[in-house]
Amino acid sequence: MERTVTLRAQIVAGLVAGLAGGILLDLFLFGAQVASGQPAGAVIAATYTWIASALGPAAGANPAAPLIGLGLHFCVAIGWAIGYVYLIRSQPQLLARPWVSGACFGVVVWVFMEIVLIAAGLYHRPSLPQLATGLVAHILFYGIPVALVVSRLLSGTPARA
């Protein structure tokens, strides 16, 4: 009997994994910026305002830009996680090796998000420490947690006939 997972379970796994990955990614990046001497409140507001500016200059200048950026960040984080769940539908072996598949997924997310920055006109060539921080953030604090959460939630789902 082949194991199938309900659409509801897949959506829940994507939502939970995206939220978890988005939160962990933010905590790591904020911690790295604060550790470099930047004030926490300014880091948070500036980061989410910068994310909002990907929608255009007017969005970045909006007084609600930090909230817009926060919403956009989590929509993107959840979207990527749901995309990972969708990928598992055709590549179920990814559930068996979440550490490896999550690390690869984190690299893919990082590369595509850099392409988004280029398209939005927000890209700047990162220094070596910025490059390392971005890759560590996306691999260890987004890709792997997403894969682990999805693997846990979908592997523990009861089989259906």
Side-chain angles (χ1 to χ4, degrees):
M1 174 167 57
E2 187 174 315
R3 179 184 192 99
T4 59
V5 179
T6 65
L7 179 60
R8 181 178 185 273
Q10 292 173 33
I11 292 171
V12 167
L15 287 171
V16 172
L19 285 172
I23 290 169
L24 289 172
L25 178 72
D26 280 354
L27 289 175
F28 173 75
L29 291 175
F30 292 147
Q33 289 176 330
V34 170
S36 73
Q38 300 177 33
V43 166
I44 293 169
T47 299
Y48 289 128
T49 299
W50 180 75
I51 291 171
S53 68
L55 297 174
N62 188 327
L67 290 176
I68 294 168
L70 177 69
L72 181 60
H73 167 69
F74 281 102
C75 285
V76 170
I78 291 168
W80 275 109
I82 289 173
Y84 182 79
V85 171
Y86 184 77
L87 181 62
I88 286 175
R89 294 173 66 170
S90 62
Q91 303 293 324
Q93 70 273 14
L94 297 177
L95 284 175
R97 302 194 93 148
W99 288 91
V100 174
S101 61
C104 294
F105 177 64
V107 171
V108 168
V109 170
W110 180 81
V111 167
F112 276 94
M113 294 313 295
E114 292 297 305
I115 293 169
V116 168
L117 292 177
I118 292 169
L122 298 174
Y123 180 81
H124 69 280
R125 194 164 131 192
S127 66
L128 190 56
Q130 289 172 329
L131 177 66
T133 300
L135 281 170
V136 166
H138 283 83
I139 293 169
L140 294 179
F141 294 94
Y142 184 74
I144 291 175
V146 165
L148 289 171
V149 169
V150 168
S151 178
R152 171 79 172 151
L153 291 176
L154 295 184
S155 295
T157 304
R160 290 185 41 172

